Amino acid sequence: DEATSTEVAPTYTNVEADAAPLADGEFTPMRIAVFPFAHVFRPGTSIRVTVDAPGGARPIWAFADTIAAGETNEIAHDADHPSSLALSVVPGVDVPADPPACGSLRSQPCRPG
């Protein structure tokens, strides 16, 4: 939805009239929303992004299988198909220079300095 989308938060109308088939055998530029989360990314931090289609790979909820037999999803990433990731910055937050102590954050890997 061009009227409500922002750089970091694309929105979708989910209206059937706005849907169109993708061209077979061609890449189509997409804007994918990253659901809200809070994490401090310090200088030198690496970020891994995983793109997954619905189909049961999630531990709690799942869609019915949406990929017919023999179909594949491909993501292009090269000089002709550049990618970018836009993340929001929360102003006015003081971030400690040192990361938290190992074991102090739930579900976070320990990365001793």
Side-chain angles (χ1 to χ4, degrees):
D1 183 357
E2 300 285 334
T4 59
S5 289
T6 69
E7 182 179 358
V8 295
T11 57
Y12 316 102
T13 65
N14 298 316
V15 175
E16 187 173 359
D18 292 338
L22 299 176
D24 191 28
E26 295 180 21
F27 288 109
T28 302
M30 299 282 176
R31 293 186 66 211
I32 308 294
V34 175
F35 293 109
F37 65 93
H39 184 80
V40 173
F41 294 103
R42 291 178 174 80
T45 298
S46 295
I47 301 171
R48 176 181 295 168
V49 177
T50 301
V51 178
D52 193 8
R58 289 150 191 85
I60 298 174
W61 59 270
F63 291 123
D65 192 3
T66 60
I67 300 174
E71 288 183 350
T72 60
N73 292 315
E74 295 181 28
I75 298 172
H77 177 68
D78 57 32
D80 293 332
H81 304 91
S83 299
S84 65
L85 176 65
L87 299 174
S88 298
V89 175
V90 179
V93 175
D94 292 324
V95 176
D98 295 323
C102 287
S104 64
L105 296 178
R106 183 176 63 122
S107 299
Q108 295 296 309
C110 181
R111 295 186 179 99

